[in-house]
Every structure is written in C-alpha cells, then in structure tokens.
Amino acid sequence: MAELDHWHPVLLADELGGKPAPVRVCDRELVVFRASKGEATLGAFADVCPHRGMRLSEGCVEAGRLVCPYHGWSFAPNGEGRSPATPAARPCADAFDVVERFGLIWIKRRGSSATFPTIDVSGYHLVGKTRHRADAPLEVTLDNFIEVEHTPEVHALLGYPRERMPEVICEVTSTESSVRVFNEGPQKALPRPLYTLLQIEPGDIFIDDWTTWFSPVYTVYEQYWLDPATRQQRPNALRIAIFFVPVTAEQTDIFAISYALAPPWERYGLNAFAYLLTRAFVVLELRRDVTLLGKLADKKTELRGRTLSRFDKPLGLARKRIESIYRGRG
Ligand code: FES
Ligand SMILES: [Fe+2]
C-alpha cells in the first residue's frame, strides 16, 4: 500500500459546512464536500475538474452534486459527472472514499483495502478533538510524540521533572505492526487546581504508555497516575489518539481525539467544565510541541549521524514501519 491507500483524517467534522473544502494530504490537493447540508453523504475528489482543470473547491453544491464554477459540469459523490451543454457526455471526477467518524472527516484512495483504525474508548468520555499543523516532516513530527525526554523542557503539565529524568523507566517493545513505549516516573509539579482536576496528588507516579500504529500513522496514549505508596491507580486517566497526517513533505497535520476516564466532578454537575479544562490543557501541550517543531534547525528525517539517547529507541523502529507499512516500500 502507498500513503493515500490508508485512511487519513483531513478535517474536523465541524470544519466542513455547506461549502466544499479544499484539503491537502500527502501532497495531493483534494476537495471534500457534504452532498447536502448536515447530511451524512460526503464526497471527496481530486481538486481538479476533468474538463479543463478548474479547482472544484471553488464550486458549490447543488442538489447533492458538486458544480464546477467554470462550465457548470457537476459531479455526484461517487464521481459520476454531467455536462449541461453535452448531455450525452459521461465525465468522471477522480473520487476518493470518504467517511465521517470520531467527529473527523477521513479519506482514502477508492478501492484500497486498508482497514479503518480502531480506537477503543469504551468507558471513556470525549474531551475534545483538535487539529494542529507542524512545520516538520512526518517522521520528525512523530519523533516528538514518541519520547518523553522532551517533557521536562517543552510540556507545561504532562511529564517528568528534569532533575529526576534518570529515574524514569522507559521500556520499548515492538511487533511487526506496532511500537509500544511504557514510561514511568514522578509527575512534574503542577499548579494546585490541576491536581484537583486530574484527581491526583503531588508526588504521584505518572504512567505514559502508548502504542504507535502505521496504517495510518497514529499513536494511542494511556496516561494515568499511581499513588506512590500503594501503587493504586488514581480514578482519572486520559486516553488520547493522535493521527499524524503528512500535508506535504515538510508539513504534518496532527489530529488529536482526547478522552478522560472518570467524570471528575460529576457530583457537582461540573463535568462539562472539567472536560473544557482538560481539553484546554491538551491543546496547550500540543501547541508547545508544534511550536518547538517549527524551530528545529535540522529537519532531516535521517537518524544516522545523530547522537541519540536511551529514550530515542522508538524513533528507528517507527521509521522502519513507516517505510514498510505506511509507504509500502521494502
Ligand atoms: S473546467 Fe470544470 S466544467 Fe469546465
Ligand atoms: Fe510532547
């Protein structure tokens, strides 16, 4: 399989209204549209009219069809086209498979056999969906998300304190199709209200346990805390699925779907507020990661020649699987 054969999120569902939206994924320009406002029927085409090359995303949707603004040819979501001036013509738009799931719009090349990525969220409450763009290639962006050595410096909240990094356990295991990293260490100090929000205590052990998959490239994080005395798990936990979507060879979109386990303030009826706060701090961390990635002096994806740390083992394992599973080479 090649890149576009895998399911990729390309938009948050609420970013797609009644107008067709241009998107760029794996350096391909596509247009995505709803066949009618608020309806489940979606269409996705290469963003170029098969007649004379107009951008279809400049058009509009009429009677469930995307109408090209140049000569009015129109296309049904399956790509079947009509020309008002030549009714016998049978033009065809280059259509992609498209679905709306987990509050995101996903596309893949029509007819590819890729299976839809699974995210087990039973028992969890949706906290939010976000999209951020990193000015870095896919591999370099993923690198940031599969090691915790950056968390003392880059993260405001989730992570380990710099002076205690030597104690942090980092265990890496892999299969042909996945790379798992288990991290355990002391949670870095937080502002007091966050202990309440997360239902944890100062001095708690923070577990950050994630697995990265490669069709498409995404990581599912399990983040929870232990009482250091008893190793009892605290009631709250986060599960965050992050999808890494190459926009071009130099830019990567990061779609994060975040869930929390225990309704923290159910008894006060304040859960909606708690989720809003949780979403805000996930966004804060993502922004910090993305800002940092934009500042890298060297964004080469090649690892040879770099001096790597004990936390960087997943980087090479991920690269191999990106090449073989995601890009379908070798
Ligand atoms: S270019 Fe689209 S109808 Fe002519
Ligand atoms: Fe990070």
Side-chain angles (χ1 to χ4, degrees):
M1 279 199 262
E3 288 96 323
L4 275 172
D5 289 329
H6 308 280
W7 282 107
H8 291 82
V10 291
L11 286 171
L12 304 178
D14 44 22
E15 289 179 309
L16 186 61
K19 288 201 182 118
V23 298
R24 193 173 197 142
V25 51
C26 303
D27 233 349
R28 279 292 298 274
E29 290 186 274
L30 307 182
V31 55
V32 184
F33 65 100
R34 293 188 190 278
S36 60
K37 214 174 170 203
E39 253 203 32
T41 312
L42 296 162
F45 305 145
D47 193 8
V48 54
C49 181
H51 178 212
R52 294 245 304 277
M54 183 61 200
R55 248 175 231 293
L56 290 170
S57 55
E58 293 290 328
C60 61
V61 180
E62 276 176 33
R65 304 175 68 84
L66 182 53
V67 182
C68 177
Y70 200 170
H71 310 97
W73 292 20
S74 70
F75 302 91
N78 66 3
E80 170 266 315
R82 286 184 209 147
S83 155
T86 316
R90 292 278 173 270
C92 198
D94 182 4
F96 283 68
D97 291 332
V98 52
V99 295
E100 181 171 340
R101 264 182 225 169
F102 295 109
L104 307 179
I105 308 288
W106 305 73
I107 65 103
K108 73 167 177 65
R109 201 191 304 278
R110 175 162 282 194
S112 91
S113 59
T115 51
F116 198 84
T118 46
I119 318 171
D120 175 14
V121 292
S122 46
Y124 281 78
H125 302 258
L126 179 67
V127 162
K129 293 152 288 182
T130 54
R131 174 161 74 103
H132 290 85
R133 182 159 292 179
D135 284 321
L138 171 70
E139 288 85 342
V140 176
T141 301
L142 180 68
D143 290 347
N144 171 270
F145 284 82
I146 55 173
E147 52 85 359
V148 293
E149 193 181 356
H150 74 284
T151 64
E153 318 303 320
V154 181
H155 286 201
L157 311 165
L158 283 177
Y160 305 102
R162 183 201 282 172
E163 64 283 4
R164 296 188 61 186
M165 280 308 287
E167 297 167 42
V168 174
I169 297 165
C170 171
E171 290 166 0
V172 182
T173 47
S174 58
T175 68
E176 261 176 34
S177 56
S178 67
V179 180
R180 179 177 174 189
V181 185
F182 174 92
N183 303 278
E184 174 179 329
Q187 164 66 46
K188 66 199 281 184
L190 296 172
R192 185 66 234 186
L194 274 170
Y195 290 108
T196 312
L197 174 70
L198 294 167
Q199 303 171 81
I200 61 176
E201 297 294 331
D204 272 4
I205 297 167
F206 175 47
I207 307 286
D208 199 350
D209 180 0
W210 66 72
T211 303
T212 304
W213 306 87
F214 300 91
S215 175
V217 180
Y218 71 107
T219 303
V220 181
Y221 299 82
E222 307 283 343
Q223 299 179 321
Y224 55 94
W225 291 263
L226 306 179
D227 178 330
T230 62
R231 291 191 65 85
Q232 271 272 330
Q233 192 174 329
R234 301 293 189 195
N236 203 359
L238 301 175
R239 183 169 293 180
I240 306 176
I242 301 190
F243 290 81
F244 303 92
V245 180
V247 180
T248 63
E250 286 85 37
Q251 286 192 315
T252 306
D253 271 351
I254 299 164
F255 287 85
I257 320 175
S258 311
Y259 297 84
L261 184 59
W265 298 330
E266 195 159 57
R267 59 185 184 280
Y268 308 118
L270 286 173
N271 271 351
F273 181 59
Y275 295 150
L276 215 66
L277 279 179
T278 308
R279 179 182 182 279
F281 91 71
V282 172
V283 167
L284 170 72
E285 302 293 35
L286 286 167
R287 284 219 186 110
R288 294 172 77 103
D289 283 326
V290 163
T291 303
L292 178 106
L293 284 166
K295 291 180 181 165
L296 289 174
D298 177 356
K299 297 181 184 175
K300 278 197 307 286
T301 59
E302 179 61 70
L303 288 176
R304 233 170 309 159
R306 297 197 190 279
T307 311
L308 298 177
S309 81
R310 71 183 172 102
F311 293 96
D312 294 326
K313 193 174 159 203
L315 278 53
L317 296 169
R319 272 174 180 57
K320 277 196 194 118
R321 288 157 183 78
I322 287 175
E323 274 309 284
S324 61
I325 301 169
Y326 181 64
R327 303 198 200 282
R329 296 181 196 139

